[in-house]
């Protein structure tokens, strides 16, 4: 590692986040896995979270885990293990339904129910939320108002890219405060790299496994140069190359399964080059004076 890169990583602590869900719950498999069959499929989330927790402990890294309420209800021990390891617990909603598929009432029930079960399990407030598939898009900003009303202090759903299925086009690239009719909420968008007038996705997931590692590194170096934290994300199933295969379309299988054996080696490089912490640890310093 170069001296310049080492000094930058010390100056800025980025955000390491995990979306806690089963391998069969991803949006890419919605058309191929019946929700009614979820109960019958092999659960691998506990072993995969344990693998991630051991890996992060070995690298002295703590992060934010966005947990589905559906997972919390069935794997309370997983949620407690994450919290006991010193990581932040945040909400990923209840049943991994995209916001674009929900009415405002259904969305409220999802974020209220998931927040309640997580708080009951860990004994402290849950203040963060991330929508499945970053699905708060243009025209769904009412979701931010509901989050504010339900007691959330920050959101991490507005991915400022243009992509089929999701993306908050022309949204802010860096963490920022959003004023809404119902109050204010802190937005923590996934990391992007600005090139040729476009925001390139470089925050994690398939982009981390399939694209060259240099893209992600450049994005976090760029954030560090600007003196702002970049936000990285990964899923527990991404450290599980031996997971059962779903009979899905070729494109969905490519996105989901390609590069799974590269996840941990690349994570090892990332954690050696940059420093990370939970989102909530940065929250107190940026809260609006009117709400702090």
């Amino acid at each position: 590692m170069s001296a310049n890169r080492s000094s930058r990583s010390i100056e800025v602590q980025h955000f390491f986040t995990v979306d806690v869900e089963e391998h069969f719950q991803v949006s890419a498999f919605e058309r191929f896995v019946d929700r009614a069959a979820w109960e019958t499929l092999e659960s691998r989330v506990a072993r995969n979270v344990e693998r991630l927790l051991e890996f992060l402990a070995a690298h002295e890294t703590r992060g934010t885990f966005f947990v589905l309420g559906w997972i919390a209800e069935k794997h309370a021990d997983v949620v407690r293990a994450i919290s006991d390891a010193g990581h932040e617990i945040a909400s990923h909603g209840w049943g991994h339904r995209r916001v674009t598929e929900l009415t405002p009432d259904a969305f409220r029930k999802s974020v209220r129910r998931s927040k309640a079960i997580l708080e009951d399990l860990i004994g402290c407030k849950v203040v963060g939320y991330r929508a499945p598939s970053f699905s708060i898009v243009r025209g769904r900003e009412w979701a931010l108002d509901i989050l504010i009303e339900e007691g959330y202090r920050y959101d991490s759903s507005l991915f400022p890219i243009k992509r089929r299925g999701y993306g908050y086009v022309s949204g802010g690239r860096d963490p920022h405060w959003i004023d809404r009719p119902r109050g204010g909420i802190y937005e923590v968008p996934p990391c992007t790299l600005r090139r040729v007038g476009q925001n390139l996705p470089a925050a994690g997931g398939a982009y981390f496994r399939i694209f060259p590692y240099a893209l992600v590194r450049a994005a976090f170096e760029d954030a560090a140069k600007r003196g702002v934290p970049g936000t990285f994300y990964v899923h527990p199933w991404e450290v599980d190359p031996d997971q059962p295969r779903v009979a899905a379309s070729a494109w969905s299988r490519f996105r989901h399964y390609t590069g799974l054996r590269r996840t941990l080696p690349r994570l090892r490089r990332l954690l050696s080059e940059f420093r990370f912490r939970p989102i909530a640890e940065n929250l107190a310093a940026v809260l609006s004076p009117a709400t702090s």
Side-chain angles (χ1 to χ4, degrees), residues 45-256:
V45 70
R47 75 188 76 176
N48 292 334
V49 167
E50 181 180 8
R51 188 176 304 170
L52 263 177
L53 291 178
E54 291 174 352
F55 183 85
L56 292 173
H59 290 82
E60 299 180 334
T61 298
R62 292 179 302 112
T64 297
F65 285 64
F66 294 92
V67 185
L68 283 179
W70 191 94
I71 294 292
E73 186 177 60
K74 292 170 173 50
H75 299 280
D77 53 335
V78 170
V79 179
R80 294 192 185 101
I82 295 168
S83 182
D84 289 346
H87 302 282
E88 177 193 4
I89 297 292
S91 170
H92 201 32
W94 187 265
H96 210 269
R97 287 198 181 277
R98 288 177 286 185
V99 178
T100 49
E101 300 174 345
L102 298 174
T103 65
D105 284 346
F107 178 74
R108 186 184 299 276
K109 290 176 182 177
S110 173
V111 299
R112 178 182 291 177
R113 187 181 178 195
S114 61
K115 190 174 193 291
I117 192 172
L118 293 170
E119 290 178 345
D120 183 62
L121 288 174
I122 64 175
C124 64
K125 289 291 185 183
V126 166
V127 297
Y129 171 79
R130 174 176 289 157
S133 298
F134 305 104
S135 54
I136 299 181
V137 299
R138 293 285 179 186
R140 297 298 194 280
E141 290 87 352
W142 50 257
L144 299 175
D145 294 320
I146 291 174
L147 290 175
I148 294 166
E149 291 171 347
E150 294 299 322
Y152 289 89
R153 308 301 296 276
Y154 75 85
D155 172 68
S156 185
S157 307
L158 308 188
F159 206 159
I161 61 172
K162 184 177 182 180
R163 212 211 84 165
R164 183 180 180 182
Y166 66 78
Y168 197 77
V169 180
S170 301
R173 294 179 59 215
D174 301 326
H176 57 282
W177 190 258
I178 296 178
D179 291 315
R180 295 289 304 166
R182 299 300 185 184
I185 192 166
Y186 192 57
E187 181 61 37
V188 186
C191 197
T192 56
L193 183 64
R194 186 75 175 172
R195 290 290 186 270
V196 295
Q198 300 290 325
N199 293 339
L200 304 180
Y207 308 115
F208 184 64
R209 292 180 282 108
I210 298 174
F211 291 177
Y213 173 78
L215 174 70
V216 174
R217 177 201 289 157
F220 282 89
E221 286 185 332
D222 179 65
K225 286 180 182 178
R226 300 196 312 275
V228 298
T231 301
F232 179 83
Y233 71 92
V234 70
H235 306 84
W237 52 262
E238 290 185 279
V239 300
D240 183 12
D242 299 320
Q243 65 191 262
R245 266 40 181 179
V246 171
S249 67
W251 175 242
S252 294
R253 289 170 62 86
F254 173 78
R255 282 193 299 164
H256 188 88

Side-chain angles (χ1 to χ4, degrees), residues 256-290:
H256 188 88
Y257 298 120
T258 300
L260 292 178
R261 296 192 185 278
R262 289 196 285 264
T263 304
L264 284 179
R266 288 189 172 188
L267 280 179
R268 190 172 293 112
R269 293 182 64 183
L270 187 74
L271 298 185
S272 71
E273 295 180 350
F274 303 96
R275 296 177 65 193
F276 293 87
R277 63 174 173 172
I279 295 172
E281 289 189 1
N282 192 57
L283 197 58
V286 298
L287 281 174
S288 166

Side-chain angles (χ1 to χ4, degrees), residues 1-11 273 275:
M1 189 193 319
S2 70
N4 287 340
R5 182 174 301 148
S6 177
S7 64
R8 282 195 294 271
S9 65
I10 291 173
E11 291 168 3
E273 295 180 350
R275 296 177 65 193

